[in-house]
Amino acid sequence: QVQLVESGGGLVQAGGSLRLSCAASGRTFNSYAMNWFRQAPGKEREFVAQSDWRGATDYAASVKGRFTISRGNAKNTVTLQMNSLKPEDTAVYYCAASVRFATTAYGMDYWGKGTLVTVSS
């Protein structure tokens, strides 16, 4: 079982950077693929980035080249470095874990409660 807690959200100007962190607890943390999703008001929750159990990464086309997901297993953390932020990146960002490969919200096994990121124009 994995428990996830996000942090690092806040207000940033367009073009700026922000780093989100997800603290994970659980005996089998290294066995899970770690993911970031986001949900803007009135929109569906969407996939943002994934780091699988081997370290391979995947990104949504809208963030590729701007966002970087990384894992620090020794500290049981996963981070999302967000650069060149745009107003359309504004959303609640969620950390999620999946036992098997999945890039949809339906495929996630564990969720954090989210952290709000607001990008001003």
Side-chain angles (χ1 to χ4, degrees), residues 89-107:
D89 294 318
T90 295
V92 175
Y93 283 70
Y94 298 89
C95 181
S98 58
V99 175
R100 296 184 176 183
F101 173 81
T103 55
T104 64
Y106 180 81

Side-chain angles (χ1 to χ4, degrees), residues 21-97:
S21 180
C22 176
S25 61
R27 297 184 182 91
T28 59
F29 174 74
N30 290 345
S31 299
Y32 292 85
M34 302 303 298
N35 309 263
W36 287 96
F37 284 76
R38 67 186 182 187
Q39 187 168 21
K43 295 186 177 181
E44 297 294 321
R45 191 168 298 187
E46 65 174 343
F47 169 79
V48 175
Q50 177 184 87
S51 176
D52 74 7
W53 51 93
R54 298 176 60 191
T57 58
D58 190 27
Y59 298 91
S62 60
V63 307
K64 190 173 184 179
R66 299 189 297 120
F67 291 10
T68 303
I69 187 171
S70 60
R71 301 178 70 158
N73 291 336
K75 297 183 178 181
N76 294 323
T77 59
V78 58
T79 64
L80 184 69
Q81 178 65 46
M82 305 184 293
N83 299 325
S84 301
L85 284 162
K86 304 174 181 179
E88 52 262 43
D89 294 318
T90 295
V92 175
Y93 283 70
Y94 298 89
C95 181

